[in-house]
Amino acid sequence: MSASETDPVRLDIQAFIRNGRHAEGVAPLARFTRLAEDLESSADPQPVRWSAAGRSLPVTGGEPESWLRLHVEAVLPLTCQRCLGPVDVPVVIDRDFRFVATEEQALAEDDDTDDELLVLSREFNLLDLIEDELILDLPAVPRHDVCPVPVRLSVEDADFAQAEAEQPHPFAGLAALRGRKDSGS
């Protein structure tokens, strides 16, 4: 087995699939820089655990199809949108990807299939695919099931309310003018 068949950053995906290889690993959350932009800073981030398996499936009257099974487990530190505190969101991804020879083939087949299509390459970056899938699986509204602190449901500020009460009503001047006009006629 060559290093390019197991290096997740420069994976010879065609050889990996053809030889039915399996790889697994652990990557620090900090390695996924695009994902980190959406994460809460965490004192103790948990690593991302992943595994990938390649397989060729025979096709009647054609070339075998190349498939990659990806499994990813991570705990993503996000910001709860209810209490604005940190919340750890577990994410589990199990997806199959079918590889095609060219970008044109992927575009041509994309409308007619539900398969996740990727293009074969000599130096496929499996960790970039893992990062893409984690980004796609980010919850739209992360939140605790039950927030650890009481949620403040009011945005009113006592100083703001007092300042607002002290300001004259913007139409008070118009009412005074109107009152003078009505009494002068």
Side-chain angles (χ1 to χ4, degrees), residues 87-163:
V87 59
D88 288 337
V89 177
V91 175
V92 177
I93 298 168
D94 268 313
R95 290 212 177 88
D96 290 307
F97 299 90
R98 182 166 57 94
F99 283 83
V100 294
T102 65
E103 190 70 40
E104 292 77 23
Q105 183 181 356
L107 289 171
E109 290 184 31
D110 192 41
D111 290 338
D112 299 328
T113 185
D114 290 333
D115 298 342
E116 297 284 340
L117 299 175
L118 297 173
V119 178
L120 285 169
S121 68
R122 281 244 181 243
E123 290 192 354
F124 182 76
N125 192 326
L126 184 59
L127 294 180
D128 281 352
L129 175 63
I130 291 168
E131 183 173 27
D132 291 344
E133 294 304 307
L134 286 169
I135 290 170
L136 289 171
D137 270 31
L138 284 172
V141 182
R143 62 180 183 257
H144 295 99
D145 290 333
V146 176
C147 291
V149 295
V151 179
R152 209 172 140 191
L153 299 176
S154 172
V155 293
E156 188 172 311
D157 180 10
D159 293 336
F160 180 79
Q162 181 181 354

